[in-house]
Amino acid sequence: MQAFIAKMRWRPAIYLRKRSKPVSTKTWKNDTVTISVDYDKCIGHGECAGSCPGEVYDIEDGKAVAARIEDCIECCTCVGVCPEKAITHSSCD
């Protein structure tokens, strides 16, 4: 038992670390653009769909979907207007 306690003293993070919940992310790609939506954060508010000048987004089953990624003009409006910060875009780092 003391050997186990001795190990615990110098490596407590290995034994006490909580496992994080896996993130549910959906990604769409074309030749120049990659758009990802974190479905754990997305609440389907629709700000991305309403503000995107290229009309890239739809809301399906309460989540944002980049249905027309080929129409993306890389303006990054979707990233800026998402209240939950659920959207990442390759052109908007």
Side-chain angles (χ1 to χ4, degrees):
M1 180 69 173
Q2 286 188 353
F4 178 74
I5 292 171
K7 285 183 182 179
M8 289 291 293
R9 287 189 183 142
W10 65 273
R11 291 175 42 175
I14 292 173
Y15 300 102
L16 302 176
R17 186 180 309 152
K18 288 184 177 180
R19 294 184 187 257
S20 60
K21 184 174 102 175
V23 176
S24 171
T25 303
K26 178 71 176 169
T27 302
W28 296 266
K29 295 180 181 183
N30 71 9
D31 293 340
T32 58
V33 176
T34 301
I35 299 173
S36 297
V37 178
D38 183 338
Y39 278 4
D40 290 335
K41 292 180 181 179
C42 180
I43 58 172
H45 192 268
E47 289 293 323
C48 55
S51 63
C52 178
E55 298 181 354
V56 171
Y57 294 92
D58 288 335
I59 304 298
E60 295 178 6
D61 298 323
K63 302 292 182 183
V65 176
R68 292 168 295 282
I69 192 169
E70 66 278 356
D71 294 337
C72 181
I73 61 171
E74 302 180 50
C75 67
C76 301
T77 300
C78 56
V79 174
V81 300
C82 179
E84 303 302 318
K85 305 300 180 212
I87 300 173
T88 55
H89 192 296
S90 60
S91 299
C92 310
D93 296 330

